[in-house]
Amino acid sequence: MSQFKRSVYERSIYKEPGPIRDSENPFEAMVERFDVAAKILQLDSGFYEYLVTPSRIHITAIPVMMDSGQMRVFQGFRVIHNEILGPSKGGIRYAEDVNLEEVKALAAWMTWKCAVVNVPFGGAKGGVVCNPREMSPGELERLTRRYTANLIDVFGPEKDIPAPDMNTNEQIMAWILDTYSMHAKRTETAVVTGKPILLGGSRGRREATGRGVMTVTLAAMERLGMRPSQCTVAIQGFGNVGSIAAQLLEEQGCRIVAISDVSSGYFNAEGIDVGAAVEYSAAHGNSLEGFPGAEPITNEELITADVDVLVPAAKEDQITRHNAPDIKAKIIAEGANGPTTPRADDILNERGVLVIPDILANAGGVTVSYFEWVQDRQGYFWTTDRVNRRLDRMMRTAFDSVFDVASRHDVSLRIGAYVYAIEKVAGALRLRGIYA
Ligand code: NAD
């Protein structure tokens, strides 16, 4: 048995859980939740191993001629977790600390996320180890094009479809589209999603993840008998997901009392003017630092602020066993991927906090990415209203389905979401059988 198989198996449903940690290897954090769901589903050991193991891992060296005339070689990853339900789908992250374990976890989360919202895709994720803030647009373009060219046989509208993630954007998707199209000798818009509308992007894609967070938060409030107009909200991270979720929840009548980004955090018990904060951040290089009309708070204070709803929308491992006991929110809607560690989950469950897990709460992005792919393939583009109505419906259906599964098995929404997703993917695998 390989090293990898042993590490998965030793903590599997057939053995005792491993030692208690709180700073998680993200892939192991994924496996830890998978284990609980697999046990509930009484998943056969062969299926267990198949579903937890990434189907393909690509590691590629990306030489880039820098503006200085010096060549640098960057490391890139693309992990295809599985393609049982359809072509694999997942963003590409540019970051100095991105690593294979993180990309493996994110790829697996994409598999479960697509299954939760009933989107016919498998899961994948990509990453390039680089600091995009220190690179010129020309260097970023050359890096992106060479990464795409190195993976040209991996990507494809019916094979593997990238999208933006941390530090990648519409422009980077446009370069991927163009590079792929040059190799294919035809314009292939459906090879990426999250691209500019002018190149076949979808209306509503930019707002989709924040909108999905809003929809499931309202659904959770309804279940708990809370009225939006009587709810206060704290939002960590004020980028795409956090700022849009803040705007849309404010529109629904909630009072946004705390916001933060990597630079600073702000609290105002009377409610923060979210529109003013968005304008301030845009005018100050995407930074809230110095935002007037609210008291400065730390990110740690924001997490434990006295609010009804907490939306972590920044990065992984923000809610840990250290701050989970002090969290006052009744609902946590995970805009970010992996913001809560498994140890924190246990504490929040015991304390009765309703956590809407990432694979449900932030699935609005991949849902509208699916709409974008469908529109590109049809060559027929929808109105914003049609996109938003269909997104709201799919998110609401996913929330209700996960809630029912969780209630039936008397588990958290997170485990309910895993059970719901794994059951679907395992069912498809059973029907397809194993090609020998
Ligand atoms: P983004 O880069 O637009 O915004 C990230 C925000 O988090 C920024 O305001 C940044 O300053 C802030 N931040 C970073 N580190 C922080 C820290 N330590 N403390 C407080 N704030 C911090 O990214 P995004 O697209 O909004 O993504 C945020 C999270 O949502 C990520 O986990 C991402 O994987 C996840 N997500 C995004 C999408 C999407 O469609 N954009 C979809 C699904 C999941």
Side-chain angles (χ1 to χ4, degrees):
M1 200 179 255
S2 73
Q3 187 73 41
F4 169 71
K5 282 178 185 163
R6 263 205 308 277
S7 70
V8 167
Y9 256 63
E10 275 166 7
R11 290 184 309 94
S12 79
I13 47 180
Y14 310 102
K15 299 270 165 70
E16 288 302 309
I20 292 177
R21 297 173 315 275
D22 207 25
S23 167
E24 301 291 337
N25 167 318
F27 187 73
E28 289 185 359
M30 187 285 295
V31 174
E32 211 163 308
R33 275 76 175 245
F34 184 97
D35 281 355
V36 180
K39 192 170 187 176
I40 290 171
L41 288 167
Q42 297 182 318
L43 207 62
D44 156 85
S45 64
F47 270 61
Y48 174 94
E49 200 173 346
Y50 191 108
L51 293 179
V52 93
T53 309
S55 99
R56 271 172 293 138
I57 294 177
H58 303 273
I59 302 176
T60 183
I62 312 164
V64 176
M65 199 54 82
M66 305 304 279
D67 293 345
S68 64
Q70 183 72 37
M71 187 179 69
R72 274 188 63 191
V73 181
F74 296 87
Q75 190 173 42
F77 308 108
R78 184 73 182 168
V79 174
I80 314 290
H81 179 253
N82 88 48
E83 303 152 285
I84 293 169
L85 290 178
S88 52
K89 184 89 190 78
I92 299 170
R93 180 172 284 198
Y94 286 180
E96 267 179 312
D97 57 355
V98 67
N99 59 72
L100 191 54
E101 288 304 293
E102 178 184 340
V103 178
K104 276 165 56 185
L106 289 160
W109 279 325
M110 285 305 297
T111 300
W112 314 131
K113 200 178 291 188
C114 291
V116 162
V117 277
N118 269 312
V119 160
F121 287 141
K125 204 79 179 189
V128 178
V129 185
C130 65
N131 183 349
R133 284 184 189 86
E134 284 177 358
M135 295 172 73
S136 71
E139 289 168 344
L140 273 177
E141 178 174 354
R142 293 193 288 282
L143 173 85
T144 302
R145 287 188 183 277
R146 185 58 189 257
Y147 173 75
T148 309
N150 287 3
L151 295 169
I152 204 79
D153 294 330
V154 175
F155 297 146
E158 275 142 10
K159 290 158 80 177
D160 179 39
I161 308 139
D165 192 71
M166 271 156 73
N167 299 326
T168 56
N169 56 23
E170 290 189 351
Q171 177 59 72
I172 288 174
M173 297 307 111
W175 290 326
I176 294 176
L177 180 160
D178 187 69
T179 307
Y180 186 87
S181 298
M182 289 299 113
H183 282 257
K185 304 210 181 306
R186 63 176 186 279
T187 297
E188 191 54 88
T189 54
V191 68
V192 280
T193 60
K195 54 193 174 286
I197 288 185
L198 203 55
L199 291 175
S202 178
R203 289 176 205 290
R205 172 62 185 89
R206 198 179 64 83
E207 300 83 5
T209 307
R211 176 171 286 279
V213 169
M214 180 268 285
T215 306
V216 295
T217 303
L218 294 188
M221 285 176 182
E222 236 175 69
R223 296 272 181 170
L224 297 185
M226 294 157 68
R227 283 224 287 277
S229 59
Q230 289 168 355
C231 288
T232 53
V233 182
I235 300 193
Q236 185 198 41
F238 208 64
N240 174 281
V241 180
S243 70
I244 306 272
Q247 283 170 281
L248 294 175
L249 284 168
E250 188 186 49
E251 260 174 49
Q252 295 296 323
C254 299
R255 191 149 35 102
I256 314 301
V257 295
I259 55 174
S260 72
D261 66 9
V262 70
S263 73
S264 50
Y266 295 93
F267 183 88
N268 182 343
E270 301 304 313
I272 286 169
D273 179 344
V274 177
V278 168
E279 272 178 31
Y280 184 92
S281 173
H284 293 81
N286 292 327
S287 170
L288 285 169
E289 191 154 20
F291 176 64
E295 294 301 314
I297 52 166
T298 63
N299 263 295
E300 200 52 40
E301 287 166 340
L302 180 140
I303 296 281
T304 56
D306 190 3
V307 290
D308 299 300
V309 179
L310 172 65
V311 181
K315 53 186 289 200
E316 303 87 39
D317 292 344
Q318 296 303 297
I319 302 175
T320 66
R321 67 182 149 160
H322 303 294
N323 56 17
D326 301 322
I327 284 180
K328 308 199 181 50
K330 300 175 191 73
I331 296 172
I332 298 179
E334 294 185 337
N337 284 312
T340 310
T341 67
R343 296 289 78 80
D345 256 349
D346 296 342
I347 296 166
L348 295 170
N349 283 341
E350 268 168 34
R351 299 187 50 230
V353 179
L354 187 69
V355 180
I356 314 171
D358 46 9
I359 58 172
L360 168 62
N362 69 35
V366 75
T367 304
V368 176
S369 274
Y370 165 57
F371 296 165
E372 181 174 334
W373 178 80
V374 168
Q375 292 171 76
D376 289 336
R377 286 158 65 90
Q378 287 182 331
Y380 179 74
F381 292 88
W382 308 350
T383 60
T384 310
D385 189 46
R386 173 181 277 203
V387 169
N388 288 347
R389 270 188 290 115
R390 290 185 174 185
L391 170 63
D392 286 345
R393 200 165 59 222
M394 284 174 72
M395 291 299 296
R396 184 51 91 131
T397 304
F399 180 89
D400 290 342
S401 306
V402 167
F403 200 94
D404 290 349
V405 171
S407 306
R408 197 165 353 115
H409 294 288
D410 195 19
V411 291
S412 66
L413 289 188
R414 186 179 322 277
I415 297 304
Y418 272 80
V419 168
Y420 182 60
I422 294 168
E423 194 167 30
K424 210 173 284 176
V425 181
L429 177 60
R430 227 167 262 125
L431 288 170
R432 288 180 66 152
I434 302 297
Y435 178 75

